[in-house]
Amino acid sequence: AKADLEGSNDDRFNEKVGIDLQRFYLFKASLAVSVQELAKIDALRKKKAEGNKLTALQEEKLATPPEAYEQSAEQVCDEIEAWIKFRHDRDPRAKIVLIIDSVTGMLVSEEDEGHLSDQNMRTKVSLASFLSLLCRRWVRLASNYKVIMLFINQEREAPGVMYGSPIRTSGGNALKFYAVVRVRIRRSGNGRILKDKKMIGLRSILLNEKNKVGGREGGELAFKGYPRTGKWMWVSKEQADKEAKSKFKK
């Protein structure tokens, strides 16, 4: 399953890398009407059916279609939890792979309700608070329901940092603490693999920052990926850097 929170899903690419679309479930932040709004409308309809008189404002509310809102990250994650439990009930021995793409694309309800003009310090840390709660819940969920969870995040550079690394990741530190394996992927050189002056693939380096299952932390390994064909291969970091420099000189 995949939670596509930034609208980047591509079924053609999924087929090329060998994903069976019949067994692939996609979650997206779609437009929906809030449950509270539907409950209010149902109450007004019931009141009118019983013969009670409604005010002009209530009549207008019944005549106007309810406003649709984009689902928040909390609502999408609630759907994911319900789906995981449903799949486990159908086949308790099945293993589930869940991809969250991405943490940066998560729009929590508190931040959404503030729009663009009413943001404050509380809304700015709402994603970190939500992830802290989500990780505590989903650690047990992953263990009990045999789920492998992959969170994709992006790096940002904090301005004005004089000491230490200016690189930061969205969502606070909760994911760093709860993650079993944490890797960082960056491009080698400009990262592009060219053929007849056309880009056919990417050359990247993977850094093993955290590994609680026995891997060597701090180790680096390079790989080449070809999105059009869905193929990829491991290479040494030295070979990737050498190829990047030779391509740059040409």
Side-chain angles (χ1 to χ4, degrees), residues 176-225:
K176 299 178 183 179
F177 295 144
Y178 283 95
V180 177
V181 177
R182 189 166 179 260
V183 298
R184 177 186 176 189
I185 301 175
R186 61 179 176 85
R187 292 188 179 184
S188 174
N190 62 7
R192 297 182 297 174
I193 301 176
L194 302 177
K195 182 178 182 181
D196 297 330
K197 297 184 179 181
K198 292 183 179 180
M199 189 179 74
I200 61 172
L202 294 172
R203 186 185 301 105
S204 303
I205 295 176
L206 185 147
L207 171 62
N208 187 7
E209 292 193 348
K210 178 182 178 181
N211 198 317
K212 296 169 67 175
V213 294
R216 184 173 67 88
E217 295 183 359
E220 289 185 324
L221 190 62
F223 66 93
K224 298 178 183 179

mmCIF file of all heavy atoms in Angstrom, residues 176-225:
data_model
loop_
_atom_site.group_PDB
_atom_site.id
_atom_site.type_symbol
_atom_site.label_atom_id
_atom_site.label_comp_id
_atom_site.label_asym_id
_atom_site.label_seq_id
_atom_site.Cartn_x
_atom_site.Cartn_y
_atom_site.Cartn_z
ATOM 1 N N LYS A 176 13.162 9.868 13.619
ATOM 2 C CA LYS A 176 14.554 9.475 13.818
ATOM 3 C C LYS A 176 14.690 8.501 14.981
ATOM 4 O O LYS A 176 15.471 7.551 14.934
ATOM 5 C CB LYS A 176 15.411 10.718 14.070
ATOM 6 C CG LYS A 176 15.427 11.715 12.934
ATOM 7 C CD LYS A 176 16.271 12.925 13.304
ATOM 8 C CE LYS A 176 16.243 13.982 12.208
ATOM 9 N NZ LYS A 176 17.039 15.173 12.549
ATOM 10 N N PHE A 177 13.929 8.741 16.049
ATOM 11 C CA PHE A 177 14.032 7.886 17.234
ATOM 12 C C PHE A 177 13.358 6.531 17.031
ATOM 13 O O PHE A 177 13.858 5.505 17.483
ATOM 14 C CB PHE A 177 13.414 8.597 18.439
ATOM 15 C CG PHE A 177 14.157 9.853 18.835
ATOM 16 C CD1 PHE A 177 13.478 10.959 19.312
ATOM 17 C CD2 PHE A 177 15.529 9.926 18.720
ATOM 18 C CE1 PHE A 177 14.159 12.112 19.675
ATOM 19 C CE2 PHE A 177 16.224 11.075 19.076
ATOM 20 C CZ PHE A 177 15.532 12.172 19.559
ATOM 21 N N TYR A 178 12.205 6.518 16.360
ATOM 22 C CA TYR A 178 11.442 5.280 16.229
ATOM 23 C C TYR A 178 11.892 4.417 15.055
ATOM 24 O O TYR A 178 11.574 3.228 15.009
ATOM 25 C CB TYR A 178 9.951 5.598 16.069
ATOM 26 C CG TYR A 178 9.267 5.987 17.358
ATOM 27 C CD1 TYR A 178 9.110 7.315 17.714
ATOM 28 C CD2 TYR A 178 8.779 5.016 18.231
ATOM 29 C CE1 TYR A 178 8.481 7.670 18.895
ATOM 30 C CE2 TYR A 178 8.145 5.361 19.413
ATOM 31 C CZ TYR A 178 7.999 6.689 19.743
ATOM 32 O OH TYR A 178 7.381 7.047 20.917
ATOM 33 N N ALA A 179 12.608 4.986 14.096
ATOM 34 C CA ALA A 179 13.006 4.231 12.904
ATOM 35 C C ALA A 179 13.991 3.120 13.268
ATOM 36 O O ALA A 179 14.905 3.314 14.071
ATOM 37 C CB ALA A 179 13.624 5.162 11.868
ATOM 38 N N VAL A 180 13.810 1.959 12.666
ATOM 39 C CA VAL A 180 14.742 0.850 12.829
ATOM 40 C C VAL A 180 15.930 1.023 11.879
ATOM 41 O O VAL A 180 17.081 0.782 12.250
ATOM 42 C CB VAL A 180 14.033 -0.492 12.570
ATOM 43 C CG1 VAL A 180 15.020 -1.655 12.660
ATOM 44 C CG2 VAL A 180 12.902 -0.692 13.569
ATOM 45 N N VAL A 181 15.642 1.427 10.649
ATOM 46 C CA VAL A 181 16.677 1.703 9.654
ATOM 47 C C VAL A 181 16.427 3.093 9.087
ATOM 48 O O VAL A 181 15.291 3.442 8.756
ATOM 49 C CB VAL A 181 16.666 0.664 8.510
ATOM 50 C CG1 VAL A 181 17.697 1.019 7.447
ATOM 51 C CG2 VAL A 181 16.926 -0.731 9.053
ATOM 52 N N ARG A 182 17.484 3.870 8.982
ATOM 53 C CA ARG A 182 17.366 5.230 8.443
ATOM 54 C C ARG A 182 18.495 5.450 7.452
ATOM 55 O O ARG A 182 19.670 5.338 7.799
ATOM 56 C CB ARG A 182 17.429 6.260 9.568
ATOM 57 C CG ARG A 182 17.113 7.681 9.142
ATOM 58 C CD ARG A 182 16.860 8.561 10.370
ATOM 59 N NE ARG A 182 16.579 9.927 9.977
ATOM 60 C CZ ARG A 182 17.460 10.924 10.006
ATOM 61 N NH1 ARG A 182 18.697 10.680 10.432
ATOM 62 N NH2 ARG A 182 17.123 12.135 9.627
ATOM 63 N N VAL A 183 18.139 5.741 6.201
ATOM 64 C CA VAL A 183 19.134 5.947 5.158
ATOM 65 C C VAL A 183 18.927 7.312 4.508
ATOM 66 O O VAL A 183 17.817 7.840 4.479
ATOM 67 C CB VAL A 183 19.066 4.839 4.076
ATOM 68 C CG1 VAL A 183 19.374 3.480 4.673
ATOM 69 C CG2 VAL A 183 17.698 4.834 3.406
ATOM 70 N N ARG A 184 20.020 7.854 4.014
ATOM 71 C CA ARG A 184 19.995 9.137 3.319
ATOM 72 C C ARG A 184 20.477 8.919 1.893
ATOM 73 O O ARG A 184 21.519 8.295 1.668
ATOM 74 C CB ARG A 184 20.900 10.144 4.033
ATOM 75 C CG ARG A 184 21.003 11.500 3.349
ATOM 76 C CD ARG A 184 22.023 12.370 4.056
ATOM 77 N NE ARG A 184 22.218 13.637 3.382
ATOM 78 C CZ ARG A 184 23.174 14.502 3.694
ATOM 79 N NH1 ARG A 184 24.029 14.216 4.663
ATOM 80 N NH2 ARG A 184 23.289 15.639 3.040
ATOM 81 N N ILE A 185 19.739 9.435 0.927
ATOM 82 C CA ILE A 185 20.063 9.258 -0.485
ATOM 83 C C ILE A 185 20.383 10.623 -1.086
ATOM 84 O O ILE A 185 19.613 11.569 -0.937
ATOM 85 C CB ILE A 185 18.905 8.595 -1.254
ATOM 86 C CG1 ILE A 185 18.580 7.221 -0.648
ATOM 87 C CG2 ILE A 185 19.243 8.453 -2.730
ATOM 88 C CD1 ILE A 185 17.385 6.553 -1.264
ATOM 89 N N ARG A 186 21.527 10.709 -1.723
ATOM 90 C CA ARG A 186 21.919 11.941 -2.415
ATOM 91 C C ARG A 186 22.503 11.575 -3.774
ATOM 92 O O ARG A 186 22.944 10.444 -3.997
ATOM 93 C CB ARG A 186 22.943 12.723 -1.596
ATOM 94 C CG ARG A 186 24.248 11.973 -1.336
ATOM 95 C CD ARG A 186 25.231 12.805 -0.547
ATOM 96 N NE ARG A 186 26.440 12.061 -0.211
ATOM 97 C CZ ARG A 186 27.487 11.949 -1.015
ATOM 98 N NH1 ARG A 186 27.464 12.524 -2.218
ATOM 99 N NH2 ARG A 186 28.556 11.264 -0.647
ATOM 100 N N ARG A 187 22.498 12.529 -4.666
ATOM 101 C CA ARG A 187 23.035 12.283 -5.998
ATOM 102 C C ARG A 187 24.557 12.320 -5.994
ATOM 103 O O ARG A 187 25.158 13.049 -5.219
ATOM 104 C CB ARG A 187 22.504 13.319 -6.989
ATOM 105 C CG ARG A 187 21.013 13.194 -7.264
ATOM 106 C CD ARG A 187 20.597 14.108 -8.389
ATOM 107 N NE ARG A 187 19.175 13.975 -8.679
ATOM 108 C CZ ARG A 187 18.556 14.604 -9.679
ATOM 109 N NH1 ARG A 187 19.257 15.413 -10.468
ATOM 110 N NH2 ARG A 187 17.276 14.430 -9.885
ATOM 111 N N SER A 188 25.133 11.536 -6.888
ATOM 112 C CA SER A 188 26.587 11.532 -7.079
ATOM 113 C C SER A 188 26.908 12.487 -8.220
ATOM 114 O O SER A 188 26.532 12.261 -9.370
ATOM 115 C CB SER A 188 27.072 10.119 -7.412
ATOM 116 O OG SER A 188 28.439 10.133 -7.719
ATOM 117 N N GLY A 189 27.611 13.582 -7.897
ATOM 118 C CA GLY A 189 27.846 14.605 -8.912
ATOM 119 C C GLY A 189 26.544 15.279 -9.269
ATOM 120 O O GLY A 189 25.746 15.656 -8.403
ATOM 121 N N ASN A 190 26.296 15.439 -10.570
ATOM 122 C CA ASN A 190 24.986 15.959 -10.977
ATOM 123 C C ASN A 190 23.928 14.868 -10.999
ATOM 124 O O ASN A 190 22.737 15.151 -11.136
ATOM 125 C CB ASN A 190 25.071 16.659 -12.338
ATOM 126 C CG ASN A 190 25.508 15.720 -13.458
ATOM 127 O OD1 ASN A 190 25.629 14.509 -13.270
ATOM 128 N ND2 ASN A 190 25.770 16.275 -14.624
ATOM 129 N N GLY A 191 24.369 13.615 -10.854
ATOM 130 C CA GLY A 191 23.438 12.505 -10.707
ATOM 131 C C GLY A 191 22.845 11.970 -11.985
ATOM 132 O O GLY A 191 22.236 10.900 -11.984
ATOM 133 N N ARG A 192 22.990 12.649 -13.081
ATOM 134 C CA ARG A 192 22.318 12.238 -14.308
ATOM 135 C C ARG A 192 23.157 11.249 -15.115
ATOM 136 O O ARG A 192 24.363 11.415 -15.256
ATOM 137 C CB ARG A 192 21.986 13.455 -15.166
ATOM 138 C CG ARG A 192 21.007 14.418 -14.517
ATOM 139 C CD ARG A 192 20.673 15.567 -15.433
ATOM 140 N NE ARG A 192 21.851 16.377 -15.730
ATOM 141 C CZ ARG A 192 21.859 17.379 -16.601
ATOM 142 N NH1 ARG A 192 20.758 17.686 -17.266
ATOM 143 N NH2 ARG A 192 22.976 18.069 -16.812
ATOM 144 N N ILE A 193 22.498 10.236 -15.662
ATOM 145 C CA ILE A 193 23.117 9.294 -16.590
ATOM 146 C C ILE A 193 22.592 9.631 -17.979
ATOM 147 O O ILE A 193 21.377 9.553 -18.227
ATOM 148 C CB ILE A 193 22.792 7.838 -16.220
ATOM 149 C CG1 ILE A 193 23.290 7.529 -14.801
ATOM 150 C CG2 ILE A 193 23.411 6.879 -17.222
ATOM 151 C CD1 ILE A 193 22.915 6.146 -14.319
ATOM 152 N N LEU A 194 23.500 10.030 -18.882
ATOM 153 C CA LEU A 194 23.103 10.512 -20.200
ATOM 154 C C LEU A 194 23.428 9.500 -21.285
ATOM 155 O O LEU A 194 24.400 8.751 -21.190
ATOM 156 C CB LEU A 194 23.807 11.839 -20.504
ATOM 157 C CG LEU A 194 23.573 12.992 -19.520
ATOM 158 C CD1 LEU A 194 24.389 14.207 -19.934
ATOM 159 C CD2 LEU A 194 22.102 13.336 -19.412
ATOM 160 N N LYS A 195 22.592 9.512 -22.315
ATOM 161 C CA LYS A 195 22.838 8.722 -23.520
ATOM 162 C C LYS A 195 22.339 9.533 -24.703
ATOM 163 O O LYS A 195 21.140 9.848 -24.778
ATOM 164 C CB LYS A 195 22.119 7.368 -23.448
ATOM 165 C CG LYS A 195 22.397 6.489 -24.663
ATOM 166 C CD LYS A 195 21.707 5.145 -24.535
ATOM 167 C CE LYS A 195 22.013 4.251 -25.722
ATOM 168 N NZ LYS A 195 21.326 2.943 -25.622
ATOM 169 N N ASP A 196 23.235 9.884 -25.598
ATOM 170 C CA ASP A 196 22.896 10.761 -26.732
ATOM 171 C C ASP A 196 22.284 12.067 -26.242
ATOM 172 O O ASP A 196 21.276 12.556 -26.773
ATOM 173 C CB ASP A 196 21.931 10.049 -27.694
ATOM 174 C CG ASP A 196 22.548 8.810 -28.314
ATOM 175 O OD1 ASP A 196 23.784 8.796 -28.486
ATOM 176 O OD2 ASP A 196 21.794 7.861 -28.602
ATOM 177 N N LYS A 197 22.896 12.620 -25.165
ATOM 178 C CA LYS A 197 22.484 13.899 -24.563
ATOM 179 C C LYS A 197 21.081 13.860 -23.978
ATOM 180 O O LYS A 197 20.478 14.903 -23.726
ATOM 181 C CB LYS A 197 22.590 15.023 -25.605
ATOM 182 C CG LYS A 197 23.998 15.269 -26.109
ATOM 183 C CD LYS A 197 24.035 16.442 -27.064
ATOM 184 C CE LYS A 197 25.465 16.695 -27.545
ATOM 185 N NZ LYS A 197 25.537 17.852 -28.474
ATOM 186 N N LYS A 198 20.574 12.674 -23.739
ATOM 187 C CA LYS A 198 19.263 12.527 -23.095
ATOM 188 C C LYS A 198 19.435 11.775 -21.781
ATOM 189 O O LYS A 198 20.186 10.808 -21.705
ATOM 190 C CB LYS A 198 18.291 11.767 -23.995
ATOM 191 C CG LYS A 198 17.897 12.535 -25.251
ATOM 192 C CD LYS A 198 16.867 11.761 -26.054
ATOM 193 C CE LYS A 198 16.445 12.520 -27.303
ATOM 194 N NZ LYS A 198 15.434 11.754 -28.084
ATOM 195 N N MET A 199 18.739 12.237 -20.740
ATOM 196 C CA MET A 199 18.856 11.594 -19.435
ATOM 197 C C MET A 199 18.049 10.300 -19.423
ATOM 198 O O MET A 199 16.849 10.298 -19.706
ATOM 199 C CB MET A 199 18.349 12.528 -18.319
ATOM 200 C CG MET A 199 18.649 11.991 -16.930
ATOM 201 S SD MET A 199 18.093 13.070 -15.604
ATOM 202 C CE MET A 199 16.331 12.784 -15.692
ATOM 203 N N ILE A 200 18.729 9.203 -19.110
ATOM 204 C CA ILE A 200 18.064 7.904 -19.070
ATOM 205 C C ILE A 200 18.038 7.312 -17.661
ATOM 206 O O ILE A 200 17.382 6.293 -17.429
ATOM 207 C CB ILE A 200 18.736 6.910 -20.032
ATOM 208 C CG1 ILE A 200 20.204 6.703 -19.623
ATOM 209 C CG2 ILE A 200 18.628 7.389 -21.462
ATOM 210 C CD1 ILE A 200 20.895 5.600 -20.380
ATOM 211 N N GLY A 201 18.787 7.938 -16.725
ATOM 212 C CA GLY A 201 18.809 7.386 -15.377
ATOM 213 C C GLY A 201 19.476 8.337 -14.401
ATOM 214 O O GLY A 201 19.890 9.444 -14.748
ATOM 215 N N LEU A 202 19.566 7.889 -13.161
ATOM 216 C CA LEU A 202 20.165 8.675 -12.088
ATOM 217 C C LEU A 202 21.218 7.850 -11.362
ATOM 218 O O LEU A 202 21.085 6.630 -11.227
ATOM 219 C CB LEU A 202 19.091 9.134 -11.091
ATOM 220 C CG LEU A 202 18.048 10.133 -11.602
ATOM 221 C CD1 LEU A 202 16.957 10.325 -10.574
ATOM 222 C CD2 LEU A 202 18.697 11.459 -11.947
ATOM 223 N N ARG A 203 22.245 8.538 -10.886
ATOM 224 C CA ARG A 203 23.322 7.911 -10.135
ATOM 225 C C ARG A 203 23.310 8.513 -8.731
ATOM 226 O O ARG A 203 23.450 9.723 -8.566
ATOM 227 C CB ARG A 203 24.658 8.168 -10.814
ATOM 228 C CG ARG A 203 25.838 7.446 -10.218
ATOM 229 C CD ARG A 203 27.124 7.866 -10.882
ATOM 230 N NE ARG A 203 27.117 7.598 -12.320
ATOM 231 C CZ ARG A 203 26.958 8.542 -13.252
ATOM 232 N NH1 ARG A 203 26.764 9.788 -12.897
ATOM 233 N NH2 ARG A 203 26.969 8.232 -14.526
ATOM 234 N N SER A 204 23.099 7.689 -7.712
ATOM 235 C CA SER A 204 22.931 8.198 -6.349
ATOM 236 C C SER A 204 23.775 7.404 -5.367
ATOM 237 O O SER A 204 24.221 6.292 -5.664
ATOM 238 C CB SER A 204 21.456 8.133 -5.930
ATOM 239 O OG SER A 204 20.631 8.854 -6.824
ATOM 240 N N ILE A 205 23.974 7.998 -4.185
ATOM 241 C CA ILE A 205 24.746 7.369 -3.111
ATOM 242 C C ILE A 205 23.854 7.233 -1.890
ATOM 243 O O ILE A 205 23.162 8.173 -1.492
ATOM 244 C CB ILE A 205 25.990 8.203 -2.776
ATOM 245 C CG1 ILE A 205 26.943 8.212 -3.981
ATOM 246 C CG2 ILE A 205 26.709 7.654 -1.549
ATOM 247 C CD1 ILE A 205 28.164 9.079 -3.779
ATOM 248 N N LEU A 206 23.857 6.062 -1.300
ATOM 249 C CA LEU A 206 23.036 5.753 -0.132
ATOM 250 C C LEU A 206 23.927 5.706 1.106
ATOM 251 O O LEU A 206 24.918 4.975 1.132
ATOM 252 C CB LEU A 206 22.317 4.421 -0.336
ATOM 253 C CG LEU A 206 21.308 3.976 0.716
ATOM 254 C CD1 LEU A 206 20.180 3.194 0.038
ATOM 255 C CD2 LEU A 206 21.974 3.088 1.763
ATOM 256 N N LEU A 207 23.585 6.505 2.118
ATOM 257 C CA LEU A 207 24.328 6.553 3.377
ATOM 258 C C LEU A 207 23.502 5.880 4.468
ATOM 259 O O LEU A 207 22.348 6.254 4.707
ATOM 260 C CB LEU A 207 24.623 8.002 3.764
ATOM 261 C CG LEU A 207 25.218 8.226 5.164
ATOM 262 C CD1 LEU A 207 26.578 7.544 5.288
ATOM 263 C CD2 LEU A 207 25.330 9.706 5.480
ATOM 264 N N ASN A 208 24.077 4.881 5.123
ATOM 265 C CA ASN A 208 23.407 4.151 6.194
ATOM 266 C C ASN A 208 23.611 4.917 7.509
ATOM 267 O O ASN A 208 24.618 4.764 8.189
ATOM 268 C CB ASN A 208 23.988 2.738 6.289
ATOM 269 C CG ASN A 208 23.225 1.864 7.260
ATOM 270 O OD1 ASN A 208 22.185 2.257 7.784
ATOM 271 N ND2 ASN A 208 23.730 0.678 7.500
ATOM 272 N N GLU A 209 22.640 5.774 7.866
ATOM 273 C CA GLU A 209 22.781 6.618 9.055
ATOM 274 C C GLU A 209 22.403 5.887 10.348
ATOM 275 O O GLU A 209 22.976 6.146 11.403
ATOM 276 C CB GLU A 209 21.921 7.877 8.910
ATOM 277 C CG GLU A 209 22.408 8.824 7.826
ATOM 278 C CD GLU A 209 21.752 10.179 7.905
ATOM 279 O OE1 GLU A 209 20.757 10.319 8.649
ATOM 280 O OE2 GLU A 209 22.228 11.106 7.229
ATOM 281 N N LYS A 210 21.437 4.986 10.278
ATOM 282 C CA LYS A 210 20.998 4.261 11.473
ATOM 283 C C LYS A 210 20.552 2.875 11.054
ATOM 284 O O LYS A 210 19.808 2.728 10.080
ATOM 285 C CB LYS A 210 19.846 5.010 12.168
ATOM 286 C CG LYS A 210 19.300 4.305 13.396
ATOM 287 C CD LYS A 210 18.133 5.086 13.988
ATOM 288 C CE LYS A 210 17.548 4.375 15.194
ATOM 289 N NZ LYS A 210 16.398 5.101 15.779
ATOM 290 N N ASN A 211 20.989 1.865 11.798
ATOM 291 C CA ASN A 211 20.617 0.498 11.452
ATOM 292 C C ASN A 211 20.621 -0.358 12.714
ATOM 293 O O ASN A 211 21.678 -0.628 13.285
ATOM 294 C CB ASN A 211 21.590 -0.076 10.411
ATOM 295 C CG ASN A 211 21.026 -1.283 9.703
ATOM 296 O OD1 ASN A 211 20.441 -2.149 10.333
ATOM 297 N ND2 ASN A 211 21.205 -1.329 8.396
ATOM 298 N N LYS A 212 19.441 -0.760 13.152
ATOM 299 C CA LYS A 212 19.299 -1.558 14.365
ATOM 300 C C LYS A 212 19.148 -3.051 14.071
ATOM 301 O O LYS A 212 18.834 -3.828 14.968
ATOM 302 C CB LYS A 212 18.093 -1.062 15.170
ATOM 303 C CG LYS A 212 18.249 0.362 15.674
ATOM 304 C CD LYS A 212 16.955 0.919 16.227
ATOM 305 C CE LYS A 212 16.520 0.217 17.488
ATOM 306 N NZ LYS A 212 15.310 0.849 18.071
ATOM 307 N N VAL A 213 19.362 -3.443 12.809
ATOM 308 C CA VAL A 213 19.220 -4.852 12.444
ATOM 309 C C VAL A 213 20.558 -5.464 12.046
ATOM 310 O O VAL A 213 20.594 -6.549 11.466
ATOM 311 C CB VAL A 213 18.193 -5.022 11.297
ATOM 312 C CG1 VAL A 213 16.806 -4.635 11.757
ATOM 313 C CG2 VAL A 213 18.584 -4.207 10.079
ATOM 314 N N GLY A 214 21.657 -4.769 12.320
ATOM 315 C CA GLY A 214 22.957 -5.380 12.122
ATOM 316 C C GLY A 214 23.815 -4.774 11.044
ATOM 317 O O GLY A 214 24.965 -5.180 10.884
ATOM 318 N N GLY A 215 23.314 -3.816 10.262
ATOM 319 C CA GLY A 215 24.125 -3.204 9.224
ATOM 320 C C GLY A 215 25.137 -2.216 9.800
ATOM 321 O O GLY A 215 24.983 -1.722 10.918
ATOM 322 N N ARG A 216 26.186 -1.948 9.039
ATOM 323 C CA ARG A 216 27.235 -1.037 9.495
ATOM 324 C C ARG A 216 26.784 0.400 9.311
ATOM 325 O O ARG A 216 26.540 0.852 8.193
ATOM 326 C CB ARG A 216 28.527 -1.275 8.718
ATOM 327 C CG ARG A 216 29.712 -0.418 9.205
ATOM 328 C CD ARG A 216 30.993 -0.830 8.517
ATOM 329 N NE ARG A 216 30.959 -0.528 7.101
ATOM 330 C CZ ARG A 216 31.346 0.657 6.576
ATOM 331 N NH1 ARG A 216 31.773 1.615 7.375
ATOM 332 N NH2 ARG A 216 31.323 0.844 5.279
ATOM 333 N N GLU A 217 26.653 1.131 10.404
ATOM 334 C CA GLU A 217 26.230 2.522 10.332
ATOM 335 C C GLU A 217 27.379 3.386 9.826
ATOM 336 O O GLU A 217 28.533 3.183 10.190
ATOM 337 C CB GLU A 217 25.759 3.009 11.702
ATOM 338 C CG GLU A 217 24.521 2.291 12.199
ATOM 339 C CD GLU A 217 24.023 2.850 13.526
ATOM 340 O OE1 GLU A 217 24.657 3.768 14.061
ATOM 341 O OE2 GLU A 217 22.985 2.356 14.029
ATOM 342 N N GLY A 218 27.043 4.340 8.988
ATOM 343 C CA GLY A 218 28.051 5.212 8.399
ATOM 344 C C GLY A 218 28.573 4.731 7.071
ATOM 345 O O GLY A 218 29.309 5.463 6.397
ATOM 346 N N GLY A 219 28.232 3.515 6.665
ATOM 347 C CA GLY A 219 28.692 2.995 5.381
ATOM 348 C C GLY A 219 27.949 3.616 4.218
ATOM 349 O O GLY A 219 26.798 4.028 4.325
ATOM 350 N N GLU A 220 28.614 3.691 3.072
ATOM 351 C CA GLU A 220 28.025 4.279 1.876
ATOM 352 C C GLU A 220 28.080 3.277 0.726
ATOM 353 O O GLU A 220 29.012 2.492 0.606
ATOM 354 C CB GLU A 220 28.762 5.562 1.475
ATOM 355 C CG GLU A 220 28.531 6.733 2.417
ATOM 356 C CD GLU A 220 29.193 7.995 1.910
ATOM 357 O OE1 GLU A 220 30.288 7.885 1.316
ATOM 358 O OE2 GLU A 220 28.635 9.083 2.115
ATOM 359 N N LEU A 221 27.056 3.333 -0.106
ATOM 360 C CA LEU A 221 26.974 2.464 -1.274
ATOM 361 C C LEU A 221 26.227 3.220 -2.367
ATOM 362 O O LEU A 221 25.274 3.935 -2.094
ATOM 363 C CB LEU A 221 26.241 1.166 -0.942
ATOM 364 C CG LEU A 221 26.277 0.062 -1.999
ATOM 365 C CD1 LEU A 221 27.722 -0.392 -2.237
ATOM 366 C CD2 LEU A 221 25.431 -1.119 -1.575
ATOM 367 N N ALA A 222 26.696 3.079 -3.596
ATOM 368 C CA ALA A 222 26.087 3.796 -4.710
ATOM 369 C C ALA A 222 25.227 2.848 -5.536
ATOM 370 O O ALA A 222 25.384 1.624 -5.487
ATOM 371 C CB ALA A 222 27.172 4.426 -5.588
ATOM 372 N N PHE A 223 24.298 3.430 -6.279
ATOM 373 C CA PHE A 223 23.458 2.630 -7.175
ATOM 374 C C PHE A 223 23.049 3.480 -8.371
ATOM 375 O O PHE A 223 23.047 4.705 -8.329
ATOM 376 C CB PHE A 223 22.211 2.088 -6.448
ATOM 377 C CG PHE A 223 21.244 3.151 -6.016
ATOM 378 C CD1 PHE A 223 20.184 3.529 -6.818
ATOM 379 C CD2 PHE A 223 21.382 3.764 -4.777
ATOM 380 C CE1 PHE A 223 19.292 4.506 -6.419
ATOM 381 C CE2 PHE A 223 20.493 4.740 -4.358
ATOM 382 C CZ PHE A 223 19.442 5.112 -5.183
ATOM 383 N N LYS A 224 22.712 2.786 -9.441
ATOM 384 C CA LYS A 224 22.202 3.425 -10.650
ATOM 385 C C LYS A 224 20.753 2.998 -10.843
ATOM 386 O O LYS A 224 20.422 1.821 -10.707
ATOM 387 C CB LYS A 224 23.014 3.009 -11.876
ATOM 388 C CG LYS A 224 24.483 3.392 -11.839
ATOM 389 C CD LYS A 224 25.178 2.876 -13.087
ATOM 390 C CE LYS A 224 26.671 3.179 -13.076
ATOM 391 N NZ LYS A 224 27.332 2.652 -14.297
ATOM 392 N N GLY A 225 19.911 3.966 -11.162
ATOM 393 C CA GLY A 225 18.505 3.670 -11.397
ATOM 394 C C GLY A 225 18.064 4.182 -12.755
ATOM 395 O O GLY A 225 18.443 5.281 -13.175
#
